[in-house]
Amino acid sequence: MSDEKIGVYICHCGHNIAGTVNVEEVAEWASKLPNVVVSKDYKFMCSSLGQELVEADIREKGLTRVVVAACSPHMHEPTFRGACSRAGLNPYLFEMANIREHASWVHQDDKEAATEKAKSIVSGAVSRAEKLQPLEPFRAPINPVTLVVGGGIAGINAALEIANAGQKVILVEREPSIGGHMAQFDKTFPTLDCAACILTPKMFEVGMHKNVELLTYSEVEKVDGYVGNFTVRIRKKARKINTELCTGCGDCWERCPAKVVDHVYEAGLGYRTAVYRPFPQAVPKYPVIDTESCIYFKNGRCKACQKFCPTGAINFEEEDEVVIVTVGNIVLATGYDLFDATQLPQYGYGRLANVFTSMEFERMTNSSGSTSGKVVLRDGLTMPHSVAILHCIGSRDKNTNEYCSATCCMAALKFAHLVKEKTHAEVYNFYIDMRTAFKDYEKFYNRLMEEGTHFIRGRAAEVTDAARKPGEEGKLIVQAEDTLIGKQRRIPVDMVILMVGQEPRHDAHIVSHMFGIGCSDAGFFTERHPKLDPVATMNEGIFIAGTCQGPKDIPASVAQGEAAAARVLSLIGRGEVEVEPVRARIDEDRCSGCRICNNLCPYGAIDFLSDLGVSRVNPALCKGCGTCVAACPSQVIEGQHFTFDSIMSQIDGLLWDVRPNGNEKVTFMQPEPV
C-alpha cells in the first residue's frame, strides 16, 4: 500500500443522485478503501460550501489525492481542480467519478443496482487517483489578431466588437460580399423594419474599419496551431478584377451579354450576368467574374466587360492567391443552409409552378428582387387571391430533421402580414404549434390574428392540383387534418409558401475537422456546454457564433457574435493562456520510427525526426486525445495523466467485486515493445 492520503466526497446533487443512489452508504463504504483517510457525502459538492469542505480537509488532513463522485467531469472537473489548487494541492491529483449520468440516471428504477455501480465507479476513481502524477500547465502568449470566418450578421458583429476594442480582425467570407442570408431579407420580424437599413451600415462599417482586414471571395484551407498561436492558410479566389482600379461603376455587368440564373442571392428567381456584384449594397463594391458562365472563358471570345471598363480593371489573367496568416483566436460564424424542399415531393415544389420556398418569397417581397417587391405568381403578373403558408417543411419531422428550426413560425407570420398588405389575399397558416417565444413575438402573433389571417392547426399532408369539385379547378389544393375541429380539410389557394427549415452547412463536417471541433447529431457545430458555455468549443481558442451552432433568429445570432467577441477580448487581455498539460509523450530511446503515429494524429502534432529516425510530439499542438497511444505497435507512447498504470488501476478498482481471491488486487504487466 502506498502512503497516499485520499479524500472521497460523494455529492447528492439534490435528488439527481441521492434520489436513486444511497450516497450515505457509498460514502461509508468508500471510507474503507485503501488509502482513503476521509469519506464524506454532501448535498451540493459544487457549491461554495462543498468546495470549502474539500479545501479544509486538504489543509487539515494533509490529503495528497482527492476524488469527487458527482456529475460529469465535462461540467465540474475545472471547479474541483480549482478547489484543490486553492488548497495547495496540484490540480492534476484530483479525480472525478461520474455517478450521476453513469449510475443514477441510467438506473432510476433500481436503487440497489445504482448504488452498487456507484461503489464500483468510486472504487475505480480511488485506484486511479493513487497513480496520478502532478502536472504543470505551460503558458503560451496570445497573438492579438483574430480570425472571423463567415460574414453574416453574427460574424460581422463579432468582428466589429473586437475591432472597436482596438484589436485587429481578419474577416473571411466565401461569397463575393459579406451580408449572409440577412442581405436577402426585406423586413425583419416582429418590428417589420427594413433588413437592409439595419445591415448595410454594419457592412459598411466593417468594410471601412481600420482594424478589419476583409477577405471576401476567400476560403480557409488549413488550420494549424493552438490557442494564441494559430496558423491559417486562406485561398483568395481570383475575382478577375483589379480592385485597385475598379470603381464599382457597373459598366462591366451592364454590358455583359451572358445571363445566368442567380441561385445564391436571388434564390433562383432572378438573373445576373457573368460579371456581377451580388446586390447593390454589397461590401466590397467590386464585382467578380463567374468563369463558368463567362463567354470568354468558355469559347475565347467576347471581352465586352474589358472593352467597356473605363478604368481597365478587368484582368482575365488573375489567378488565385494563397495567403498565410497567424492569429490567436478564431470565431466561426459560417451560417446555415436551407432545407431542400424537393425532398418532400408531396408538397409539389419544383413540380407545381406556384409553390414557392420561403427564401423565394423573401426575395419576391424585396424591393430589389426580381418582381420589385410585388407578390405575384410564377407568370410574374398575376396577384394571388389566396395564399397558404405551410410550416415545418423539413423541421420537426422524423423523415428529415427532427429539430425545430426556431425561426419559421415568426417568418410565416411576417409573410402573412406582407401578403395581406400587398395583395389583400386570404392567408391560411398550416401549423403544428405556434412558437412565438421571445420579446414581442406573441404580440405580433395576436396582431396577425386581428388582421384576419386563418390559422389551421395540423401538418399539411399534400399540395395537389387535382381538383375534385367546382371551385378547385385551376387552384392548388392543400389537404390537411384540422386537429382543432377533428376534420380533414381541402383549402384551394393560388399560391403556396413552404417554410423550409435551417440545416447545417453542407460542408459543416469538413469545416469541423479542419478546425478540430465537433458536430452534433444534426450536424451543427458543438459548443463546450449548451447552457454554461454556448460559444466556446472543446478546442481552446476557437469559438462559434450564430446559426452554425444551431437554428436561431437575428437577435440571437447578434448576441452570440458579441458573446464570442467578449470571450476573444478576454483572452487577448490576459496576454497569455495556460495550456492543458495532458499530452502524449514518446520514449525516443525505444521508438522504432515506424511513423504510424505521424499519419494518425488528427492534429498534426507528431513530427518524424529523420536524422534520429524517431518521432516526437509537439506538445503545443497535441490535444491529448490518445490516438497515437493506442496505435503505437511498440507501446512507447504514453499519455500524460492517462498512463498505463493509472488506467489499469482504474479497471482493477472498477472490478472490485469480482477480484480473484477476495480483495487481492490484480497486477497488469505492461506489454513489451515489438
Side-chain angles (χ1 to χ4, degrees):
M1 184 183 296
S2 69
D3 297 330
E4 305 298 346
K5 294 181 178 179
I6 303 176
V8 177
Y9 302 88
I10 315 295
C11 182
H12 290 237
C13 196
H15 286 290
N16 275 304
I17 296 174
T20 305
V21 175
N22 188 334
V23 292
E24 293 88 354
E25 181 183 330
V26 176
E28 173 63 23
W29 177 86
S31 67
K32 299 180 178 61
L33 292 173
N35 296 317
V36 174
V37 297
V38 59
S39 179
K40 298 177 179 177
D41 62 279
Y42 192 72
K43 289 285 185 185
F44 294 101
M45 284 305 306
C46 59
S47 67
S48 58
L49 293 176
Q51 294 181 58
E52 288 168 5
L53 181 69
V54 176
E55 293 176 40
D57 282 351
I58 293 173
R59 294 191 185 98
E60 295 169 8
K61 301 180 187 301
L63 299 181
T64 58
R65 301 287 190 276
V66 169
V67 172
V68 173
C71 54
S72 164
H74 186 60
M75 181 174 289
H76 275 308
E77 189 173 56
T79 302
F80 295 110
R81 278 184 176 174
C84 292
S85 183
R86 288 193 295 275
L89 184 68
N90 186 289
Y92 295 91
L93 299 179
F94 163 76
E95 176 66 13
M96 193 158 189
N98 184 353
I99 61 169
R100 190 178 70 176
E101 283 89 336
H102 292 173
S104 173
W105 282 2
V106 293
H107 300 290
Q108 291 185 354
D109 298 328
D110 193 340
K111 188 165 186 174
E112 184 179 350
T115 302
E116 292 303 304
K117 188 173 181 181
K119 290 178 182 176
S120 285
I121 295 172
V122 171
S123 172
V126 169
S127 294
R128 172 173 150 75
E130 190 182 336
K131 301 293 183 181
L132 294 177
Q133 297 295 319
L135 297 174
E136 294 296 332
F138 63 94
R139 296 181 175 276
I142 295 283
N143 184 334
V145 180
T146 302
L147 174 72
V148 177
V149 184
I153 188 62
I156 287 173
N157 272 278
L160 281 177
E161 287 294 316
I162 298 168
N164 287 336
Q167 304 298 336
K168 185 177 177 183
V169 178
I170 299 171
L171 176 55
V172 176
E173 166 60 47
R174 65 170 51 162
E175 297 296 333
S177 169
I178 58 173
H181 284 300
M182 188 174 172
Q184 297 173 277
F185 299 164
D186 181 49
K187 295 187 182 301
T188 59
F189 56 75
T191 51
L192 296 177
D193 42 3
C194 168
C197 301
I198 302 169
L199 181 63
T200 303
K202 292 272 187 184
M203 293 168 58
F204 180 78
E205 186 181 353
V206 81
M208 299 297 293
H209 205 294
K210 65 178 182 180
N211 288 332
V212 178
E213 181 180 353
L214 190 55
L215 299 179
T216 54
Y217 211 42
S218 303
E219 291 196 64
V220 175
E221 291 189 333
K222 188 179 180 185
V223 180
D224 293 318
Y226 55 94
V227 57
N229 297 276
F230 292 104
T231 301
V232 185
R233 174 189 168 102
I234 302 169
R235 178 172 294 274
K236 293 173 65 177
K237 292 179 282 188
R239 284 178 176 265
K240 308 295 183 185
I241 302 290
N242 186 334
T243 55
E244 293 184 359
L245 298 177
C246 179
T247 61
C249 66
D251 281 354
C252 55
W253 63 77
E254 289 173 3
R255 305 284 185 171
C256 178
K259 301 290 189 295
V260 293
V261 177
D262 184 354
H263 288 285
V264 180
Y265 183 68
E266 292 294 349
L269 279 194
Y271 292 86
R272 62 166 172 79
T273 50
V275 54
Y276 69 102
R277 187 168 63 187
F279 52 96
Q281 305 92 337
V283 174
K285 62 187 177 184
Y286 314 117
V288 298
I289 294 180
D290 171 9
T291 54
E292 293 185 1
S293 305
C294 176
I295 296 172
Y296 170 73
F297 282 97
K298 288 201 290 188
N299 58 27
R301 291 178 291 179
C302 184
K303 291 191 174 183
C305 53
Q306 192 178 55
K307 293 172 187 169
F308 289 100
C309 177
T311 61
I314 306 296
N315 179 10
F316 292 114
E317 309 304 322
E318 186 182 22
E319 297 292 336
D320 291 357
E321 180 184 357
V322 173
V323 295
I324 307 294
V325 300
T326 55
V327 298
N329 294 283
I330 297 172
V331 178
L332 294 178
T334 51
Y336 65 96
D337 284 341
L338 288 168
F339 175 75
D340 177 8
T342 59
Q343 293 184 39
L344 297 175
Q346 64 268 36
Y347 298 126
Y349 180 71
R351 177 169 53 84
L352 302 175
N354 291 314
V355 178
F356 294 82
T357 66
S358 46
M359 185 54 79
E360 287 177 332
F361 188 77
E362 191 76 59
R363 292 305 306 153
M364 189 191 299
T365 58
N366 195 304
S367 58
S368 65
S370 58
T371 64
S372 301
K374 295 179 182 176
V375 175
V376 292
L377 302 181
R378 289 279 181 191
D379 61 10
L381 299 171
T382 310
M383 290 176 60
H385 297 290
S386 53
V387 177
I389 304 175
L390 277 53
H391 295 215
C392 299
I393 304 300
S395 305
R396 305 184 67 199
D397 184 347
K398 289 184 178 179
N399 298 314
T400 54
N401 300 310
E402 294 192 25
Y403 55 85
C404 173
S405 288
T407 59
C408 308
C409 284
M410 288 303 296
L413 295 178
K414 179 185 74 173
F415 288 166
H417 173 83
L418 293 176
V419 170
K420 281 199 160 289
E421 181 182 75
K422 292 173 182 285
T423 68
H424 304 290
E426 291 294 316
V427 181
Y428 301 88
N429 268 265
F430 292 81
Y431 70 100
I432 304 174
D433 295 310
M434 287 302 301
R435 299 191 168 183
T436 55
F438 299 110
K439 185 179 180 182
D440 293 334
Y441 286 11
E442 189 72 10
K443 185 178 176 182
F444 190 65
Y445 175 35
N446 292 330
R447 174 181 173 180
L448 265 291
M449 287 195 287
E450 291 171 2
E451 289 179 357
T453 298
H454 305 287
F455 290 92
I456 300 173
R457 196 184 76 177
R459 183 190 290 275
E462 183 185 22
V463 177
T464 178
D465 57 354
R468 293 182 186 172
K469 54 188 177 182
E472 293 184 350
E473 289 87 358
K475 297 277 189 176
L476 298 172
I477 301 100
V478 182
Q479 181 156 336
E481 180 187 6
D482 189 334
T483 58
L484 289 178
I485 60 175
K487 289 185 177 179
Q488 288 286 334
R489 298 185 66 178
R490 287 171 60 85
I491 307 292
V493 294
D494 298 319
M495 174 188 287
V496 170
I497 304 170
L498 304 179
M499 301 305 302
V500 292
Q502 296 183 9
E503 288 189 332
R505 281 285 191 191
H506 60 281
D507 59 350
H509 278 93
I510 298 173
V511 175
S512 70
H513 283 300
M514 187 186 303
F515 288 90
I517 62 175
C519 285
S520 65
D521 291 344
F524 292 104
F525 296 154
T526 306
E527 63 285 323
R528 181 179 286 269
H529 192 282
K531 302 179 189 68
L532 304 178
D533 212 351
V535 297
T537 67
M538 295 304 290
N539 195 348
E540 193 78 18
I542 296 181
F543 302 91
I544 52 178
T547 49
C548 65
Q549 188 240 8
K552 52 182 64 70
D553 58 14
I554 293 170
S557 297
V558 169
Q560 273 211 323
E562 294 179 350
R567 296 294 299 276
V568 168
L569 291 172
S570 171
L571 281 171
I572 294 174
R574 287 190 225 164
E576 61 179 16
V577 64
E578 279 191 357
V579 179
E580 183 87 355
V582 180
R583 297 288 186 260
R585 182 175 55 194
I586 296 177
D587 183 349
E588 295 179 10
D589 292 337
R590 301 164 65 203
C591 176
S592 66
C594 68
R595 305 181 66 172
I596 290 176
C597 55
N598 299 57
N599 298 325
L600 289 177
C601 178
Y603 304 100
I606 305 179
D607 298 319
F608 181 71
L609 308 180
S610 54
D611 52 337
L612 301 177
V614 298
S615 294
R616 180 177 292 173
V617 176
N618 181 344
L621 300 179
C622 178
K623 304 297 181 187
C625 68
T627 303
C628 57
V629 180
C632 178
S634 299
Q635 304 283 318
V636 298
I637 308 180
E638 183 178 75
Q640 290 180 305
H641 202 58
F642 294 95
T643 62
F644 179 85
D645 284 345
S646 69
I647 292 173
M648 290 306 166
S649 291
Q650 185 168 20
I651 293 172
D652 180 63
L654 287 166
L655 302 175
W656 67 277
D657 56 340
V658 292
R659 285 174 184 160
N661 303 318
N663 289 327
E664 183 180 335
K665 296 190 72 171
V666 177
T667 301
F668 296 91
M669 298 299 294
Q670 188 164 8
E672 291 296 321
V674 294

